[in-house]
């Protein structure tokens, strides 16, 4: 049993709240020429500069004491050891095992989970190689050229984000589309222009009971049957799931199912079989590089002293921003078009993990928990919402992400892009005084972290994702919440299941007057 933690009742939390707020970033930099060197941490290929955060040595020390009081290191070790730290679901949390090398076994309840992981990875690799080489063909003998990944939430955002991020590594003869929304417009667009004989559907669902995914998969199945006949289904559908029974019930042969385990949370599953669509696109070797990148950061998180541990430091700075300075949101601003889905991915990772109000024992938290995470790739945001970031009354801490070398050959574009990233972080931190024209004044002192790497390779993407996974973990430890459940999505699902037959049938149940009014309106206007 994991002991609940009431961090806000500890002396260390009190000391944190009493720690003097550092002066303006202009003064911090002016007083300390070594600041930029000391407030940088390097992990793998990532260079993480947090010198523009509103912290000083006293704040960092107080935050580290809070991490100690919250037992961050003990909890981290419990996660790596496979203890059931997801207490409300009674499960281990072992996404770190998904990227462990084959020669580093990890035995949990008498089973070497790493051996199981590699067994599935090997099957995925064989299958991917066959499709990529054109050895596994569609039912009519045509080469499979189009992958349609059907999944939602954790079974969509990871592979969709990574497929976009690693576009430069895609097989030249394969493309992929991702369908998640139950809105029929999504599957219609995904199927538009495709030849069923050349299309492979990857139905990704941990539970295989998710209504959106099953609805989309059912429509896709009917589309294939219509074009190629019932017998073609086996050649055009594979499943990724933990639920063999439901996969078989849907009509996919479990010989074409790639499994994973209940200790992989949906939003932590990109590097499990949920990454199959990605592996098809980039190949098993590049997928292995992605996993190796994750592992580099896992090892750093597991072994580096807390004061030099990137996820710990970034997680604690997030605590300082959210709980002490009172900043409610956080912007993620990748200066890389390929990372266009990264903010959405992080939104789920962070907000579904740490958007909680009760602690491990069900008691109410006594401080704010996870921030609202949002963002867009630069430079587009600069011509839109950055106005508020620079001059608004609300302060939004930002993470800038950029790379020295792009995958395209337009160096002049890239120099401009990176100049903008660097300039924005500088402008936010230092501002500009124009007392004569206040509307042209920039207050500065707006905090940011800048994460850079040489290039967005599969390994670097793995490193980035693992970094944020562990940041979220550290914060969840401090707040004493279960970062690995997601009960908050249940009520809406239940009510939708209740309302669906009421919208289409005759019997309407009891609802408040607003809900009943909406249902009456829909029933009156619904055609077909
Ligand atoms: C993620 C959540 C959630 C989940 C989806 C899809 O952590 O659990 O986003 O991934 O609801 O679930 P299935 O994979 O079971 O279809």
């Amino acid at each position: 049993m994991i002991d609940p933690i009431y961090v806000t009742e500890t002396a260390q939390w009190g000391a944190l709240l009493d720690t003097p707020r550092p002066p303006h970033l202009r003064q911090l930099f002016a007083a300390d020429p070594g600041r930029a060197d000391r407030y940088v941490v390097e992990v793998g290929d990532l260079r993480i500069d947090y010198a523009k955060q509103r912290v000083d040595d006293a704040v960092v020390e107080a935050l580290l004491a809070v991490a100690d009081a919250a037992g961050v290191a003990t909890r981290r070790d419990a996660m790596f050891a496979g203890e059931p730290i997801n207490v409300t679901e009674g499960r281990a949390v072992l996404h770190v095992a998904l990227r462990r090398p084959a020669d580093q076994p990890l035995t949990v309840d008498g089973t070497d989970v790493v051996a199981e992981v590699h067994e599935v990875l090997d099957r995925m690799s064989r299958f991917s190689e066959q499709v990529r080489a054109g050895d596994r063909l569609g039912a009519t003998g045509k080469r499979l050229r189009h992958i349609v990944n059907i999944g939602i939430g954790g079974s969509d955002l990871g592979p969709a984000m990574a497929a976009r991020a690693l576009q430069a590594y895609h097989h030249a003869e394969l493309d992929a589309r991702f369908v998640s929304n139950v809105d029929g417009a999504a599957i219609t667009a995904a199927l538009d222009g495709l030849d069923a004989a050349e299309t492979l559907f990857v139905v990704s669902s941990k539970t295989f009971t998710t209504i959106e995914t099953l609805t989309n998969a059912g429509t896709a199945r009917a589309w294939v049957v219509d074009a190629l006949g019932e017998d073609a289904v086996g050649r055009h559908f594979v499943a990724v799931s933990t639920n063999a029974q439901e996969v078989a019930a849907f009509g996919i042969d479990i010989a074409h199912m790639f499994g994973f385990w209940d200790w992989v949370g949906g939003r932590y599953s990109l590097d499990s079989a949920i990454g199959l669509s990605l592996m098809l696109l980039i190949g098993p070797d590049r997928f292995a590089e992605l996993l190796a990148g994750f592992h580099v950061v896992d090892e750093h998180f597991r072994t580096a002293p807390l004061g030099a541990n990137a996820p710990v430091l970034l997680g604690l700075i997030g605590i300082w921003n959210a709980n002490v300075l009172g900043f409610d949101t956080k912007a993620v601003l990748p200066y890389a078009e390929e990372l266009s889905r990264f903010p959405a991915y992080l939104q789920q990772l962070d907000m579904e993990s740490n958007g909680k109000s009760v602690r491990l024992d069900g008691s109410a938290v006594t401080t704010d928990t996870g921030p609202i995470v949002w963002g867009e790739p630069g430079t587009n945001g600069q011509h839109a919402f950055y106005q508020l970031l620079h001059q608004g009354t609300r302060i939004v801490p930002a993470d800038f992400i950029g790379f020295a070398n792009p995958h395209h050959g337009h160096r002049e574009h890239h120099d401009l892009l990176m100049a903008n990233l660097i300039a924005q972080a500088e402008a936010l931190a230092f501002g500009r005084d124009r007392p004569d024209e206040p509307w042209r004044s920039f207050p500065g002192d707006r905090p940011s972290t800048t994460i850079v790497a040489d290039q967005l390779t599969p390994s670097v993407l793995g490193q980035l994702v693992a970094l944020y996974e562990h940041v979220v973990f550290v914060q969840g430890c401090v707040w004493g919440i279960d970062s690995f459940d997601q009960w908050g999505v249940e009520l809406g699902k239940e009510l939708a299941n209740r309302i669906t037959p009421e919208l289409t049938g005759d019997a309407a149940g009891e609802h408040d007057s607003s809900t009943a009014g909406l249902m009456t309106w829909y029933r009156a206007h619904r055609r077909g």
Side-chain angles (χ1 to χ4, degrees):
M1 173 65 193
I2 312 277
D3 292 331
I5 280 178
Y6 308 114
V7 77
T8 54
E9 289 167 23
T10 62
Q12 290 88 339
W13 187 265
L16 179 72
L17 298 185
D18 289 343
T19 306
R21 312 294 180 262
H24 194 290
L25 281 165
R26 287 176 197 155
Q27 284 155 268
L28 282 176
F29 274 84
D32 179 3
R35 182 176 172 88
D37 294 328
R38 276 185 305 116
Y39 285 10
V40 166
V41 51
E42 293 191 1
V43 187
D45 300 304
L46 308 179
R47 180 182 192 274
I48 304 164
D49 177 341
Y50 60 97
K52 295 193 187 79
Q53 290 288 346
R54 283 166 51 165
V55 296
D56 58 15
D57 290 351
V59 170
V60 172
E61 204 177 306
L63 285 166
L64 287 167
V66 165
D68 240 20
V72 168
T74 313
R75 278 164 197 258
R76 172 199 62 195
D77 295 347
M79 173 172 76
F80 277 89
E83 286 177 33
I85 61 164
N86 175 359
V87 292
T88 71
E89 296 181 328
R91 288 177 184 164
V93 174
L94 267 176
H95 44 275
V96 291
L98 297 169
R99 49 262 191 158
R100 238 167 120 107
D103 59 1
Q104 291 181 24
L106 177 68
T107 305
V108 178
D109 293 335
T111 306
D112 177 8
V113 294
V114 174
E116 293 190 345
V117 163
H118 282 271
E119 227 173 271
V120 176
L121 277 173
D122 289 347
R123 279 190 61 224
M124 288 166 64
S125 300
R126 281 197 298 277
F127 177 73
S128 300
E129 289 293 24
Q130 285 169 0
V131 173
R132 288 165 60 84
D135 292 340
R136 191 187 193 280
L137 302 169
T140 64
K142 279 191 169 176
R143 190 184 173 103
L144 295 166
R145 295 177 191 280
H146 314 292
I147 297 155
V148 178
N149 189 90
I150 301 180
I152 195 165
S155 300
D156 166 73
L157 283 160
M161 176 280 289
R164 177 80 189 86
L166 300 177
Q167 185 113 33
Y169 300 87
H170 287 194
H171 189 292
E173 291 184 65
L174 279 174
D175 57 50
R177 302 178 182 192
F178 291 81
V179 186
S180 51
N181 199 333
V182 75
D183 185 336
I187 187 81
T188 304
L191 299 180
D192 186 40
L194 290 187
D195 175 358
E198 298 184 335
T199 304
L200 174 68
F201 291 90
V202 178
V203 185
S204 294
S205 175
K206 181 175 169 180
T207 55
F208 231 78
T209 57
T210 305
I211 189 74
E212 291 91 337
T213 299
L214 292 185
T215 306
N216 280 323
T219 302
R221 192 182 192 285
W223 181 77
V224 167
V225 170
D226 192 42
L228 306 172
E230 187 71 35
D231 291 348
V233 170
R235 301 300 292 174
H236 292 270
F237 279 81
V238 294
V240 177
S241 188
T242 57
N243 192 341
Q245 210 177 335
E246 290 295 335
V247 168
F250 178 82
I252 297 178
D253 184 343
I254 57 164
H256 301 144
M257 170 181 139
F258 298 86
F260 57 115
W261 307 270
D262 71 353
W263 42 259
V264 184
R267 54 196 174 276
Y268 298 87
S269 65
L270 160 63
D271 42 359
S272 70
I274 290 290
L276 180 64
S277 297
L278 177 67
M279 190 194 271
L280 284 159
L281 291 169
I282 67 171
D285 293 345
R286 296 297 191 183
F287 196 83
E289 289 171 23
L290 174 89
L291 298 184
F294 273 97
H295 187 64
V296 166
V297 175
D298 292 347
E299 284 302 279
H300 165 84
F301 179 50
R302 194 173 66 80
T303 59
L306 297 197
N309 193 310
V312 173
L313 288 167
L314 296 189
L316 292 173
I317 289 170
I319 300 272
W320 176 252
N321 285 336
N323 296 140
V324 184
L325 301 182
F327 306 148
D328 285 335
T329 86
K330 171 177 157 168
V332 181
L333 308 168
Y335 278 63
E337 190 68 18
E338 305 99 298
L339 286 180
S340 58
R341 296 296 288 155
F342 198 60
Y345 175 78
L346 285 190
Q347 227 164 29
Q348 178 187 32
L349 179 66
D350 201 323
M351 294 170 74
E352 200 165 49
S353 296
N354 285 345
K356 311 278 164 70
S357 315
V358 297
R359 295 181 286 218
L360 295 178
D361 60 355
S363 61
V365 295
T366 47
T367 188
D368 277 330
T369 56
I372 298 156
V373 177
W374 58 284
E376 276 288 321
T379 59
N380 293 359
Q382 289 173 215
H383 296 267
F385 56 81
Y386 277 38
Q387 165 65 38
L388 183 149
L389 301 191
H390 286 288
Q391 291 186 315
T393 54
R394 297 170 200 279
I395 294 187
V396 181
D399 281 1
F400 291 96
I401 302 171
F403 304 93
N405 294 295
H407 287 290
H408 57 74
H410 304 291
R411 177 44 73 178
E412 69 288 4
H413 284 251
H414 199 69
D415 293 342
L416 260 176
L417 179 73
M418 288 304 287
N420 272 279
L421 180 161
I422 294 167
Q424 288 298 325
E426 186 179 32
L428 285 168
F430 301 104
R432 180 179 67 188
D433 282 335
R434 277 287 185 88
D436 45 328
E437 292 178 303
W439 50 91
R440 290 208 162 124
S441 266
F442 290 74
D445 211 20
R446 302 191 169 215
S448 68
T449 296
T450 302
I451 304 175
V452 290
D454 183 77
Q455 196 168 37
L456 183 55
T457 60
S459 169
V460 165
L461 182 68
Q463 294 172 41
L464 267 178
V465 174
L467 175 72
Y468 279 101
E469 284 178 350
H470 298 320
V471 166
V472 166
F473 176 83
V474 167
Q475 296 181 339
C477 286
V478 172
W479 290 318
I481 56 180
D482 187 338
S483 299
F484 300 101
D485 62 12
Q486 55 282 315
W487 298 104
V489 300
E490 291 302 314
L491 179 60
K493 270 196 221 170
E494 261 170 51
L495 293 185
N497 285 341
R498 191 178 136 198
I499 289 175
T500 305
E502 294 175 10
L503 280 186
T504 52
D506 297 328
E510 281 288 302
H511 295 278
D512 65 89
S513 56
S514 165
T515 306
L518 284 168
M519 292 171 64
T520 307
W521 176 87
Y522 184 77
R523 285 158 63 106
H525 288 80
R526 177 180 183 271
R527 285 188 289 275

